[in-house]
Amino acid sequence: MLSHLLVWAGFAVTLIVLPLVFSSGLGLSILNQMTIAVIFALSYNMLLGQGGMLSFGHAVYYGLGGFIAIHLLNMVEFGTLALPVVFVPLAGGVGGLLVAVLIGSFSTRRAGTVFAMISLGIGELFAASSLIFESFFGGEGGISGWRDVGPTFFGVDFGQQIEVYYLAAFWVFVATLSMYLFTRTPAGRMANAVRDNAERAEFIGYSARKVRYISFCAAGLFAGIAGGLFAINYEIVTEENLTLVTSGEVLLMAYIGGLGFFIGPIIGAVLLTLMGSVVSDWTDMWMLYLGLLFVLTVMFLPRGLSGLIMMHGPAWRLGRLRWLILPYTITSIPAALFVLSLIGLIELAHSSADTFHYLGLPLATNSLISWLLLGAVAAVAWYGLRRLSPWLLKAWERANALPAMRGEESH
């Protein structure tokens, strides 16, 4: 119990300290995007990671929460409603919950592929409706508003980015803690049981449909909160918030981070936010790298990046994690060279300039020498990686071997 309290206290302190470290305008902007993405990804994890419901339309509740929030901001601006901005995300969450209650009443009756296809159809339905019902969705231009209007909250009008961050940090802490506590409830436990074997859950007296419905509604609530924060941060919501692209992004966040662990979607949300905000400024090919990362995750890390981290648990508990430092360090050298050389080849093929500067090296795009140089580095690095792999595997097995098993081998 004490360890859990320390973890959540550390999480709260981290949220408070982060803007002091990244105090620039760009840093605060990225932090605001991360907080929104974390809530959105964790809400999706309630569907797929905990309930086993693959959804291609989770952006519906995110986008509708955003539209409800932006309309509330406009009502506050015109004096129709006196509501502090701090409560607007909750209103977006209520909107997402109500829509989830309606859609979940029939979609959660089925599971697997049928549920996925229903979610896809619902998502496309709302995406198309956003261009038809312009009075609510605003058409292609969306709906815009102002967050620094209306009554202040203890003198704060949320006009500055730092103020928006702490508002988002408050909601990300409340939402994250609430979603974690949900996993400890009977409904959360049974969601895992229904995900693994719905027939057995039915056999012991639980309705798989009701369990899925509860998780579905809870996911809609938190997705709506994320959408409300989006509306406050950007002061505009468009039809893009409802599209399949947004639903695909949250799926990538949750899967790459790791669906089997609560911290997984948080890792995925942070990683994809950095790729979309930082890597995209460096190269136009960042979507290609994201796609490659997803494919490699599916092929080699089915439990995501958090699963890779958790694989080191046995070595940590046995006190042998230090045994892997040297193998990891040496193996990472050819691995890094191989990845960097491949990125160089991709960027060289994409570059339209005569000279492409990569890692401080001027490479001529029309020169065979540049291609041969990067190709040779990639080949040598791959050869070195293949030669070091058996050594790394033996070190891994040695670090994770149980003491009893090693004692039996010595006899």
Side-chain angles (χ1 to χ4, degrees):
M1 185 65 180
L2 179 60
S3 60
H4 285 75
L5 292 176
L6 290 176
V7 169
W8 287 106
F11 181 47
V13 171
T14 301
L15 291 174
I16 294 173
V17 172
L18 275 177
L20 304 179
V21 180
F22 305 98
S23 58
S24 64
L26 176 61
L28 290 174
S29 176
I30 294 175
L31 288 177
N32 289 341
Q33 295 175 49
M34 283 183 181
T35 55
I36 298 169
V38 164
I39 300 177
F40 193 26
L42 283 173
S43 70
Y44 187 80
N45 187 54
M46 299 182 75
L47 287 179
L48 183 56
Q50 297 176 24
M53 294 176 281
L54 175 61
S55 173
F56 294 116
H58 197 53
V60 169
Y61 319 101
Y62 174 74
L64 288 176
F67 275 108
I68 291 173
I70 203 71
H71 280 295
L72 284 179
L73 290 178
N74 287 330
M75 292 173 65
V76 171
E77 179 182 1
F78 296 131
T80 309
L81 181 68
L83 180 71
V85 175
V86 68
F87 298 112
V88 169
L90 182 59
V94 172
L97 172 62
L98 294 177
V99 177
V101 167
L102 175 62
I103 296 176
S105 63
F106 59 87
S107 64
T108 56
R109 295 180 183 273
R110 306 299 297 271
T113 304
V114 177
F115 175 85
M117 293 301 99
I118 292 175
S119 69
L120 178 61
I122 293 296
E124 289 301 300
L125 174 65
F126 274 89
S129 299
S130 65
L131 299 177
I132 299 173
F133 302 103
E134 296 188 6
S135 59
F136 182 79
F137 295 104
E140 293 184 357
I143 303 293
S144 59
W146 300 97
R147 61 174 181 252
D148 57 349
V149 296
T152 61
F153 186 75
F154 292 100
V156 179
D157 62 358
F158 300 102
Q160 304 296 320
Q161 274 193 321
I162 185 65
E163 297 171 347
V164 175
Y165 168 78
Y166 280 116
L167 170 63
F170 167 76
W171 278 110
V172 77
F173 182 82
V174 171
T176 303
L177 179 59
S178 300
M179 283 185 273
Y180 175 77
L181 293 177
F182 178 81
T183 65
R184 322 310 291 179
T185 63
R189 300 286 192 182
M190 286 309 303
N192 295 336
V194 170
R195 174 199 62 196
D196 297 335
N197 195 319
E199 292 184 0
R200 287 191 176 183
E202 294 272 4
F203 183 77
I204 61 176
Y206 286 91
S207 171
R209 183 256 169 186
K210 289 183 179 179
V211 171
R212 286 194 294 264
Y213 186 53
I214 292 173
S215 297
F216 188 89
C217 294
L221 167 66
F222 292 108
I225 291 176
L229 288 173
F230 181 95
I232 294 174
N233 183 50
Y234 292 98
E235 297 179 307
I236 185 173
V237 182
T238 66
E239 52 90 19
E240 292 182 1
N241 295 79
L242 295 163
T243 60
L244 182 62
V245 174
T246 304
S247 295
E249 287 177 354
V250 73
L251 190 154
L252 292 180
M253 291 179 192
Y255 197 95
I256 292 176
L259 288 168
F261 306 94
F262 186 80
I263 197 175
I266 299 177
I267 296 175
V270 172
L271 178 62
L272 264 69
T273 301
L274 289 175
M275 292 190 69
S277 301
V278 179
V279 180
S280 61
D281 290 338
W282 177 74
T283 175
D284 296 332
M285 303 291 288
W286 73 275
M287 288 292 290
L288 173 63
Y289 301 135
L290 176 59
L292 291 174
L293 177 61
F294 178 69
V295 171
L296 293 175
T297 302
V298 173
M299 293 178 61
F300 302 107
L301 297 173
R303 303 189 71 182
L305 298 178
S306 58
L308 176 63
I309 297 173
M310 296 303 176
M311 285 171 58
H312 295 79
W316 171 269
R317 289 189 292 270
L318 292 170
R320 301 173 184 165
L321 198 58
R322 64 183 184 279
W323 295 3
L324 297 173
I325 295 178
L326 182 61
Y328 278 171
T329 302
I330 296 178
T331 308
S332 64
I333 296 174
L337 289 174
F338 178 72
V339 172
L340 290 174
S341 58
L342 283 184
I343 293 176
L345 288 171
I346 294 173
E347 294 296 330
L348 194 63
H350 173 67
S351 178
S352 58
D354 294 334
T355 302
F356 170 66
H357 294 272
Y358 182 64
L359 300 177
L361 298 175
L363 301 174
T365 56
N366 57 353
S367 174
L368 183 61
I369 297 177
S370 300
W371 292 89
L372 291 177
L373 176 62
L374 291 174
V377 173
V380 172
W382 177 254
Y383 176 77
L385 189 59
R386 292 292 300 270
R387 292 297 300 270
L388 289 172
S389 295
W391 174 55
L392 177 62
L393 181 59
K394 289 182 179 179
W396 172 265
E397 293 175 349
R398 179 169 169 262
N400 289 275
L402 296 176
M405 295 175 60
R406 294 184 63 191
E408 293 174 2
E409 292 176 1
S410 64
H411 288 293

